[in-house]
């Protein structure tokens, strides 16, 4: 979760009462550590009392897997037991984890166009909780990779959104490497394909967006350092603003400077 809040403490250090409330869906996680501490089986039993014992058992068997896999498993189990319509109910829940399940149900839905999928995920991209916003792009990223040109064109429209969270989604969801996700090979080889997303954000006033764009370019620099250096040089001339400066500094942080003659 690249945009997650600092962990702060270990899972075992979380107060038992606090953890019980997280598992009951009564409160939102305040840190990444709390996100990781949630017992999905206990939470599912409370939030969806009608779900069957077989589904809960399957969830329990996946308890030791990574959290991204558990999110996908939860979505598949819920959809298999209760159908896709329950996602709307989950999307209104107080628990950020439960709203995250709704994100992954949107990602797992069959026969949904990319535009419809984007429309469905948008409220979660703009969610007030940091974790839900991360689950939103992770849940649908594979669809962007599968229809990259179309996805970039559609997400380019999001770069003008009044919400910094939505603008940031357009950048974060298309990072060539990203965090906790599969790389997008086409963007590693040809990062210029996403310029219609990056260019409108090169002087974004939001630090949240600036960090994402800088990280996007830092990803690209691991494969195309020359391209990132050239782009940042151009941006620094065309857009000599503090925002652009912050983005370029972050973008170039892992790239060794070209030695001077």
């Amino acid at each position: 979760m690249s945009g997650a809040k600092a962990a702060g403490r270990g899972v075992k250090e979380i107060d038992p009462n606090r953890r019980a409330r997280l598992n009951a869906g009564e409160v939102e996680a305040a840190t990444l550590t709390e996100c990781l501490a949630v017992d999905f089986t206990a939470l599912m039993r409370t939030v969806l009392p009608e779900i069957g014992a077989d589904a809960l058992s399957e969830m329990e068997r996946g308890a030791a897997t990574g959290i991204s896999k558990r999110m996908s498993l939860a979505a598949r189990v819920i959809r298999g037991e209760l159908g896709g319509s329950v996602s709307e109910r989950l999307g209104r829940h107080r628990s950020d984890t439960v709203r995250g399940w709704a994100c992954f149900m949107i990602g797992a839905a069959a026969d949904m166009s990319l535009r419809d999928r984007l429309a469905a995920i948008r409220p979660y991209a703009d969610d007030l909780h940091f974790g839900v916003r991360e689950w939103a792009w992770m849940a649908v990223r594979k669809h962007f990779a599968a229809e990259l040109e179309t996805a970039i064109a559609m997400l380019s429209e999001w770069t003008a959104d009044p919400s910094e969270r939505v603008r940031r989604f357009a950048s974060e969801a298309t990072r060539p490497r990203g965090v906790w996700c599969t790389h997008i090979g086409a963007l590693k080889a040809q990062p210029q394909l996403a310029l219609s997303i990056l260019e409108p954000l090169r002087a974004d006033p939001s630090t949240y967006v600036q960090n994402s764009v800088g990280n996007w370019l830092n990803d690209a620099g691991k494969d195309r350092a020359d391209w990132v250096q050239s782009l940042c040089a151009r941006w620094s001339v065309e857009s000599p603003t503090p925002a652009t400066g912050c983005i370029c500094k972050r973008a170039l942080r892992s790239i060794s400077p070209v030695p001077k003659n």
Side-chain angles (χ1 to χ4, degrees):
M1 286 188 178
S2 56
K5 295 185 179 180
R9 55 185 174 175
V11 170
K12 293 181 179 179
E13 297 175 27
I14 298 174
D15 180 81
N17 291 328
R18 171 71 178 175
R19 196 166 181 180
R21 295 191 72 196
L22 288 167
N23 292 339
E26 296 175 357
V27 294
E28 293 185 332
T31 64
L32 175 56
T33 299
E34 289 192 350
C35 289
L36 298 173
V38 174
D39 182 330
F40 280 25
T41 307
L43 180 60
M44 191 176 292
R45 183 183 292 113
T46 301
V47 172
L48 298 169
E50 71 273 31
I51 203 161
D54 289 345
L56 292 173
S57 295
E58 186 173 0
M59 203 69 245
E60 185 64 33
R61 288 193 295 273
T65 60
I67 190 168
S68 297
K69 291 183 178 179
R70 278 185 285 140
M71 294 297 290
S72 295
L73 175 61
R76 180 171 62 78
V77 165
I78 294 169
R79 179 175 289 278
E81 284 285 315
L82 304 176
S85 61
V86 74
S87 65
E88 294 183 13
R89 172 178 154 196
L90 300 180
R92 296 189 297 270
H93 201 275
R94 182 170 185 174
S95 166
D96 56 285
T97 298
V98 174
R99 298 201 302 280
W101 293 345
C103 293
F104 277 84
M105 290 184 74
I106 292 169
D111 301 324
M112 181 181 282
S113 71
L114 190 59
R115 186 168 292 279
D116 288 345
R117 206 178 300 273
L118 270 172
I121 207 68
R122 190 192 179 287
Y124 304 97
D126 201 26
D127 197 279
L128 294 178
H129 191 273
F130 67 92
V132 178
R133 297 195 298 270
E134 299 303 304
W135 296 134
W137 69 259
M138 289 185 197
V140 297
R141 179 175 160 95
K142 64 181 181 182
H143 300 289
F144 299 161
E147 300 181 63
L148 188 59
E149 184 177 347
T150 302
I152 289 172
M154 291 180 179
L155 288 171
S156 296
E157 300 171 4
W158 289 32
T159 62
D161 197 277
S163 170
E164 65 176 17
R165 297 181 289 270
V166 174
R167 299 196 306 275
R168 187 258 189 181
F169 180 97
S171 168
E172 198 69 20
T174 56
R175 282 177 58 179
R177 290 173 176 264
V179 180
W180 293 7
C181 61
T182 302
H183 295 178
I184 300 178
L187 290 178
K188 289 167 64 175
Q190 296 179 281
Q192 67 272 19
L193 295 174
L195 276 174
S196 60
I197 291 174
L198 300 173
E199 290 281 4
L201 300 177
R202 68 181 184 178
D204 197 281
S206 165
T207 300
Y208 191 47
V209 178
Q210 292 168 21
N211 287 345
S212 180
V213 176
N215 288 338
W216 199 113
L217 293 173
N218 186 257
D219 280 359
K222 292 178 172 63
D223 301 284
R224 291 291 310 279
D226 57 334
W227 182 82
V228 173
Q229 289 173 316
S230 177
L231 181 69
C232 287
R234 176 168 66 80
W235 281 5
S236 297
V237 172
E238 296 176 354
S239 177
T241 67
T244 303
C246 288
I247 289 172
C248 291
K249 181 179 179 180
R250 195 174 191 89
L252 298 170
R253 69 185 185 272
S254 302
I255 299 176
S256 300
V258 177
K260 296 181 180 179
N261 295 329

